[in-house]
Amino acid sequence: MAEKPPPASAKSELRRELLAARRSLSPDARAAAAAALAVTALELPELAGAQTVAAYVSVGGEPGTRELLDALRAAGKRVLLPLLLPDNDLDWAAYGGPGSLSEAAHPGKMRLLEPSGPALGPDAVTGADAVLLPGLAVDGRGMRLGRGGGSYDRVLQRLERAGAHPALVVLLYDDEVVARVPEEPHDHPVQAVATPSGVRRFSS
């Protein structure tokens, strides 16, 4: 009987499959998913009741977040967006609308849209009521598969150290809610997932 692959290699294989599926989506399918996600995510009580939401600007084939960011802001919420630091950690700044984003170049990485307002410090995320996480998949236990860059692992560690317990919500396409995600000891479950077709909450 073949040995079970270690979590790291199983994660890498699953990431490759999911990224390939994202690349195959048409621009129209991506646009439709982004518009639907802006509606469904706000159905989550954790987001509807939040005053401050730490979010992110989608890149590449990720489920589009630009419309959701504006929907959150229109609902009167303070939205924090990340600024990538040289060591892959994240600082944060407030989102002031579409005109407040500027393109940032980071050596060896794709260009990102980042908020142009003053940096609030990496610990600003600890004051959020909800944190939206990028990812590639989530399973029925709420275990999330990230991109592997480690930035959000640091965010989650920072929240834990501060004793902060915001709602953790991952944004995905419908077919990225899977049966099982390979996990490692440092992985944290999320409370909910929002996809274009609806939301799902996980018991803690």
Side-chain angles (χ1 to χ4, degrees), residues 86-150:
D87 64 353
N88 274 356
D89 205 348
L90 299 178
D91 202 332
W92 300 87
Y95 176 54
S100 71
L101 297 175
S102 58
E103 196 173 80
H106 296 281
K109 303 183 189 311
M110 67 177 69
R111 289 180 177 270
L112 304 175
L113 285 175
E114 297 184 344
S116 55
L120 303 174
D123 287 338
V125 70
T126 64
D129 303 300
V131 177
L132 301 182
L133 302 170
L136 290 171
V138 71
D139 66 20
R141 305 166 299 157
M143 299 306 298
R144 162 186 160 270
L145 177 68
R147 292 287 294 261

Side-chain angles (χ1 to χ4, degrees), residues 157-174:
Q157 289 165 6
R158 183 167 286 114
L159 293 171
E160 188 172 9
R161 285 197 305 269
H165 301 285
L168 304 177
V169 180
V170 63
L171 305 176
L172 297 173
Y173 293 107
D174 292 324

Side-chain angles (χ1 to χ4, degrees), residues 12 42 46 83 88 108 122 159 161:
S12 297
L42 286 174
E46 289 86 350
L83 300 159
N88 274 356
L159 293 171
R161 285 197 305 269

Side-chain angles (χ1 to χ4, degrees), residues 173-186:
Y173 293 107
D174 292 324
D175 58 1
E176 292 172 345
V177 180
V178 300
R180 190 83 172 186
V181 164
E183 66 181 284
E184 295 177 75
H186 65 268

